[in-house]
Amino acid sequence: MDRALCIHGHFYQPPREDPWLGHILPEGSAAPSRHWNERICRESYAPMARARRLDGAGHILELLSCYEWMSFNVGPTLLSWMARSAPETYARILEADRKSLARLGHGNALAQVYHHVILPLASDLDKELEVAWAVADFTARFGRAPEGMWLAETAVDTPTLEVLAAAGIAFTILAPSQAEAVSDDGKAWRGVDAGSLDIRRPYTVLLPSGRPMAVFFYHGPLSQAVAFERLLADGEQFFRRLSGATGQGLLSLATDGETYGHHFTFGEMALAYVLDQARSGRDGITLTNYAAFLAADPPRRFVRIREASAWSCAHGVERWRSDCGCTTGGHPGYNQQWRAPLRKALNLLKTLLDAHFFAVGGPLFADARKALVAYGRVLAGSMTAEAFEAAHFAAKLPAAGRGVAWKLLSMQAWGLSSFASCAWFFDEISRLEPVNSLTFVCRAMELARGTGMADPEPEMTAILAEARSNDPEMGTGRDIWDNLVRPRRETPKSLVSQAMLHLTLEGRLPPSGESAEAVWPGVTVAVRLDDPEDGARPGTASIRYALETAVEAYAVRYRPAVTADPYDGCLSLVAPGGLEEGFCLRDVRLPVNKRQSLADAFARHNEETWFAATLSRAATARRLVTELQEAQHTLNLATLWLPLWPGLVWHDVFDLPLPEKNAALLRLFLLEAGRNSPVKAALEARLSDETARRLAEPDPDCRKLARLIQRAADLDLHPDWWPAQNALWERRPFAGPTAELAKALGFVV
Ligand SMILES: [Zn+2]
């Protein structure tokens, strides 16, 4: 296959969930989004699924899913967040793989090492788990086994490739600098470097096991140019650079997915232009993916890889364990001597966790190692807890043993999560990434202690004390542990308190004798309350972590705040057979991001109730407001009607209009009042969501929706029609009322 082109995108975010709540807490630096996953999804992952191809006049020709025409991998932990929080984009990613599979016989999606762990630095067990869980996750989502796997930072060595091959992975992608020597017959070798390596065809790596493993090498300079040389500023120029570089065999680029749209605004549109030109066969180019190329043009030559090398460190894999000089973060005077003790502390802990897992888990599982490997299927949702217990738990295991077994599995998952490569990648130990990594350690350690392991904290923090922050105020790794990590720990007290605060702030406190739940992805707290006795409501609170069977139940007494401040409420908790602990919610000392998360929940709840109220009152008001308008010559009471403005707009835009005389007066009022309305942006967001929602219904009234868009414009409202455009794109071909709406939404019709 000649003049073949494949552009690969590596889409990944470090795990940033709070390991108790399983929920991403607010990250101030990601404003205006709540956290970085949300921000990068809005800037890159979502636009990549719906990249606008425009004509010369700026009208939309097509919404192109770049995922459908490029090779890609998306990290499993990112995909599970997306499935929950950005389902539309998630669905487009899965669809892209299905469509490319139908077109090329091989899907575009590649698997990725589960927690983005630097595999050459991982133990044999951890290598196996990271790969097996990645395969399980991929298979559950994409409905097929993965053919290729993206290695975190393309970090590779022979044992890593052996684990991939044993898991049925056919190929991976490496940087040209990771090839050491090539051979035509597997016997006579000649040394190569990034400049002399022929990257146009895949190679076979001769593994000691004899298992097949192919390696593709991407084009270094062009991949770099996408990231750093503004190639995405001009789609035509980008295409010409690529076209000029194609020739015999395959030209492939490997890029970070976030380059498109996040690092480079509208980069996805330049990419969409290139993909469109290439798929139309301009200059004789064939768009393909790695697996399709591999099937058409199997490797005929051999390569010896540089052991323990990666794409983002010139010193092997030192970036993830020593002060090698590779860094990102923009602080010239900083050093990274903290990397070694951080690695040492985590390695020590994982060794202890493994020993504990097999010692305690031995009698609980039919085969502890097999159970741990298969746990990836539970995480992926392709195996139910019941099926897993039946297949992997020891026969007739009592409830207590089952509870411990699930906790041990969870402990291992958090232990692995702490090794996500990002903890070492940047220049400072007090950054978000290392602190998150240590938070996962903290959670794993808690599960270890809870299942009978001797406390590893003193030994581990002694090692962390050797890590010195570049910021003198931060001190050592042990100070960071004490000041930034430990305060994040949840206890029954903090969890029940947050549940009570949520229920209060969202107006969901249960009536007597009934229950209400505070639900996070990682844990659920169910609260039942009875009639008050002496001003306090007795009841129970039970805590259950996701993927665990143990339920911790507490007797509670809740004394609601007599002030308007819910933090003035007080609570007492009694553990089974334990002592009663009484406290006021304000003394629980929740970390700031958990308090922000509560404030966020309150603001959302408040907006919901406020909007519902204005909507129902405005239904009456629209009949009356014109009478007010008629009196405007003598009276000016318009400010009294202002709070009803959003509801009135809503009715005006979505409902049948009033008689024309009244309607004209009402429009005038709405236009005037809207100019300075503080809730204009919130209303525009609601209009945008509602329009997209209506468009997604089975039989939308497109003519009515087209009028709606015009009416919004008449009122000087300019919602972001992006979601509506996406929804309409699903209703092609555009004809009749659909065409009318398409035109209103900026499409070329
Ligand atoms: Zn380095």
Side-chain angles (χ1 to χ4, degrees), residues 312-320 322-327 339:
S312 49
C313 174
H315 318 91
V317 291
E318 292 306 309
R319 184 172 190 155
W320 299 276
S322 75
D323 187 14
C324 70
C326 294
T327 184
R339 282 177 182 158

Side-chain angles (χ1 to χ4, degrees), residues 402-420:
R402 288 166 50 226
V404 171
W406 285 111
K407 279 189 190 300
L408 289 174
L409 294 164
S410 177
M411 171 193 85
Q412 287 291 47
W414 289 115
L416 275 175
S417 192
S418 71
F419 285 99

Side-chain angles (χ1 to χ4, degrees), residues 428-430 464-465 467-480 483:
E428 166 55 23
I429 188 175
S430 64
L464 285 178
R468 200 155 271 291
S469 164
N470 289 286
D471 179 352
E473 286 191 12
M474 287 293 170
T476 68
R478 176 149 63 190
D479 298 320
I480 289 166
N483 300 325

